[in-house]
Amino acid sequence: MAETARHSEPRYGNRPTMKDVAARAGVGLKTVSRVVNSEPGVTPDTERRVQEAIEALGFRRNDSARVLRKGRTASIGLVLEDLADPFYGPLSRAVEEVARAHGALLINGSSAEDPEREQELVLALCARRVDGLIVIPAGDDHRYLEPEIKAGIATVFVDRPAGRIDADIVLSDSFGGAREGVAHLIAHGHRRIGFIGDQPRIHTATERLRGYHAAMVDAGITVQDSWVSLGPTDPERVAAAAEAMLSGPEPVTALFSGNNRVTVTAVRVLANREHPVALVGFDDIELADLLGITVISQDAAAVGRTAAEHLFRRLDGADDAPARVELPTSLIARGSGELPPA
């Protein structure tokens, strides 16, 4: 019978309330409230009894009522492009560390580079009354956020500017980084340099392409159409683009890859080539130091930390004009970008 009774108990029972804590500790509800919210006016002995009751019952404060009273959730939302992208790991962690230091919870999600999904996710976070948002934009029209911003939800965009609204933005110097990377290849004797990047509607892709062209113009090199390929970063598309550039009577002697996903595929393509081909990639990748891959490195953690600090500055009342913060990149030479033309 005991076995039957145990199995008849619900697995998920009702959560203990402050009323339950008050009854167990033999005090009033107001006393429990004072202890839970660290308010004065409770004797040490009474506080001890209440804390023992809280621990015994497994009581957890329900913040919903506090949200209704204060209008603040002590939470922020982070909308990323792709949670699996290595760039966003340190960025998200840095945002979370800043949020934690401010006593706030971080809620994040992925837009999967889909503008509609981005809007749906952002508005869902707003409906849950987050205090602020950090958004890596997938779309190019963010006017849907204007009512939320006017209602007091602080918003900072990261990696790419907001579309059709004025808002704070924190990003890396994509133009300058790409220009430096391509100039590095030119300095090592290359004149036929291929560029493989992301889709042209993405701000970082166009900025890195602009940096590529600037470096080539600086060196007096005329870029051929066949040396440039923009599009989705899936391995099949990138591999086909790389193979095309490396074929023909005048193949490129070096590649500049526009982001970490392109770089990974480029490394695989070049590994099967008879003659070495120089490579510089924008963004660091895992094991790049062991593989000897020269990269333009952007500090994802610094981007995330700067964006989060700016967000909390807004939440603390800063009302100056929207700011654009651009962080520098750095070239890390590891061997692949220093190979001479074959």
Side-chain angles (χ1 to χ4, degrees):
M1 289 295 292
E3 186 73 18
T4 302
R6 186 165 67 248
H7 282 296
S8 66
E9 294 176 359
R11 183 178 179 188
Y12 301 108
N14 294 326
R15 294 174 62 182
T17 65
M18 285 203 295
K19 187 176 180 180
D20 299 323
V21 174
R24 186 179 182 95
V27 299
L29 276 174
K30 183 61 178 175
T31 300
V32 176
S33 177
R34 284 173 175 160
V35 173
V36 168
N37 293 296
S38 302
E39 296 174 356
V42 183
T43 65
D45 181 63
T46 300
E47 182 178 1
R48 177 185 56 77
R49 296 206 320 272
V50 172
Q51 291 290 5
E52 288 175 352
I54 288 172
E55 186 173 341
L57 293 171
F59 170 79
R60 293 293 180 272
R61 184 176 66 184
N62 182 355
D63 283 337
S64 298
R66 300 176 77 240
V67 170
L68 292 174
R69 288 197 306 270
K70 298 184 178 182
R72 295 276 300 264
T73 62
S75 64
I76 62 171
L78 172 61
V79 178
L80 303 168
E81 173 202 343
D82 181 359
L83 292 170
D85 191 314
F87 173 74
Y88 295 119
L91 187 152
S92 177
R93 187 163 54 249
V95 171
E96 186 172 22
E97 288 172 356
V98 175
R100 185 178 180 186
H102 285 81
L105 177 71
L106 177 66
I107 306 169
N108 60 28
S110 171
S111 70
E113 202 63 70
D114 181 346
E116 290 185 6
R117 185 167 171 176
E118 173 212 300
Q119 180 173 342
E120 178 183 317
L121 181 56
V122 166
L123 293 180
L125 290 168
C126 292
R128 284 158 178 76
R129 299 172 68 106
V130 294
D131 300 315
L133 290 165
I134 295 176
V135 181
I136 289 87
D140 57 6
D141 187 348
H142 293 90
R143 288 176 295 177
Y144 71 85
L145 256 173
E146 286 181 330
E148 311 300 335
I149 294 173
K150 289 178 181 177
I153 295 182
T155 305
V156 176
F157 287 83
V158 172
D159 198 40
R160 309 161 191 173
R164 306 184 73 173
I165 64 170
D166 291 326
D168 295 314
I169 171 70
V170 177
L171 67 169
S172 297
D173 182 8
S174 286
F175 169 78
R179 188 176 193 172
E180 181 182 15
V182 175
H184 186 74
L185 290 168
I186 294 170
H188 284 82
H190 297 278
R191 293 296 179 270
R192 300 194 303 274
I193 302 170
F195 177 94
I196 305 177
D198 210 328
Q199 302 185 72
R201 64 178 177 81
I202 297 174
H203 172 78
T204 50
T206 58
E207 282 296 284
R208 291 166 195 175
L209 177 60
R210 195 166 68 88
Y212 162 84
H213 278 293
M216 299 293 268
V217 168
D218 290 343
I221 301 171
T222 301
V223 175
Q224 298 183 20
D225 291 343
S226 60
W227 296 353
V228 175
S229 177
L230 297 180
T233 57
D234 59 272
E236 293 77 15
R237 202 283 299 180
V238 173
E243 293 289 0
M245 292 180 189
L246 295 166
S247 304
E250 289 190 326
V252 299
T253 62
L255 289 174
F256 185 85
S257 53
N259 66 25
N260 50 15
R261 284 164 290 188
V262 175
T263 302
V264 170
T265 300
V267 169
R268 290 192 174 119
V269 170
L270 298 182
N272 298 319
R273 307 293 299 183
E274 181 180 355
H275 301 292
V277 176
L279 171 67
V280 174
F282 201 108
D283 277 348
D284 216 342
I285 61 172
E286 189 174 5
L287 302 181
D289 54 338
L290 296 179
L291 295 171
I293 308 302
T294 296
V295 299
I296 299 297
S297 176
Q298 51 181 337
D299 192 339
V303 171
R305 184 168 53 253
T306 303
E309 289 171 348
H310 202 80
L311 182 72
F312 280 100
R313 192 175 70 84
R314 290 294 188 197
L315 290 172
D316 288 339
D319 61 355
D320 47 308
R324 178 187 176 99
V325 180
E326 194 165 71
L327 301 180
T329 58
S330 59
L331 186 145
I332 304 176
R334 296 185 176 123
S336 71
E338 293 70 56
L339 294 171

